[in-house]
């Protein structure tokens, strides 16, 4: 059922996606790293398979995804000042647990900010704990860049098999 709806739609927009592939990849990668339940790997793989430049795709996807993580870091920073004013004297167990988890594994856990489900909360908690933006950005960009490099490598490996 969905095939009859989705395939013609994607076939009709694919030429436009190819024409503006870096912009589309940037926007999808950025959105995927925020609180939207969206992945960017599918588009990255499709563009690699379509023969687009690997270096450009890796750079744009990594930058977009990292900027999405920085957006969450900023939300975490703002959330804490808002939250502290509203809950004076009360403690949120969920937030406390996330802080303890982050403190237990340290800032190096930000290398896993790309992992589905846990990556977005890691970025929020890092912002709420006041992790320096420069350190945060370097770790998140490294982790996300390694993820896209791995996806590119696996795509090449599967294509050559």
């Amino acid at each position: 059922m969905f095939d009859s709806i989705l395939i013609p739609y994607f076939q009709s927009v694919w030429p436009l996606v190819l024409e503006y592939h870096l912009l589309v990849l940037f926007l999808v990668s950025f959105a995927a790293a925020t609180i939207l339940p969206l992945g960017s790997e599918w588009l990255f793989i499709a563009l690699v398979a379509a023969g687009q430049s690997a270096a450009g795709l890796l750079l744009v996807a990594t930058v977009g995804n990292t900027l999405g993580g920085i957006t969450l870091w900023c939300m975490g920073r703002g959330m804490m000042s808002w939250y502290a004013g509203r809950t004076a004297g009360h403690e949120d167990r969920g937030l406390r647990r996330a802080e303890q988890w982050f403190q237990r594994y340290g800032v190096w856990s930000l290398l896993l900010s790309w992992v589905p489900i846990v990556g977005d909360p890691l970025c929020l908690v890092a912002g709420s704990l006041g992790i320096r933006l420069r350190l945060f950005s370097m770790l998140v960009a490294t982790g996300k860049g390694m993820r896209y490099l791995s996806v590119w490598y696996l795509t090449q490996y599967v294509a050559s098999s």
Side-chain angles (χ1 to χ4, degrees):
M1 176 181 147
F2 288 113
D3 291 349
S4 62
I5 297 169
L6 293 177
I7 290 176
Y9 173 74
F10 283 118
Q11 287 175 340
S12 66
V13 298
W14 186 245
L16 191 61
V17 169
L18 283 177
E19 185 174 347
Y20 299 103
H21 65 282
L22 293 177
L23 175 62
V24 173
L25 181 61
F26 175 83
L27 294 173
V28 171
S29 298
F30 177 85
T34 61
I35 56 176
L36 298 176
L38 177 70
S40 58
E41 294 81 9
W42 62 273
L43 180 58
F44 184 86
I45 291 168
L47 291 170
V48 168
Q52 300 300 326
S53 164
L57 296 176
L58 287 166
L59 178 65
V60 167
T62 300
V63 168
N65 219 236
T66 300
L67 289 175
I70 290 171
T71 300
L72 288 176
W73 179 90
C74 291
M75 290 171 66
R77 292 288 283 190
M79 177 183 75
M80 287 317 294
S81 45
W82 173 85
Y83 186 76
R86 303 247 189 295
T87 60
H90 302 289
E91 186 173 328
D92 182 336
R93 292 176 124 186
L95 183 59
R96 185 72 186 131
R97 270 188 168 161
E99 289 173 349
Q100 288 172 340
W101 188 86
F102 189 88
Q103 288 173 348
R104 178 178 178 187
Y105 297 106
V107 295
W108 296 107
S109 63
L110 291 171
L111 290 169
L112 300 176
S113 63
W114 59 270
V115 175
I117 300 171
V118 298
D120 296 345
L122 272 175
C123 293
L124 278 169
V125 169
S128 71
L129 291 175
I131 302 302
R132 291 186 336 264
L133 182 57
R134 181 175 292 172
L135 176 61
F136 171 86
S137 300
M138 289 182 345
L139 291 171
V140 169
T142 300
K144 290 175 183 278
M146 295 304 293
R147 182 250 327 250
Y148 284 113
L149 187 60
S150 298
V151 170
W152 174 80
Y153 178 76
L154 288 172
T155 303
Q156 296 300 312
Y157 179 76
V158 169
S160 68
S161 297

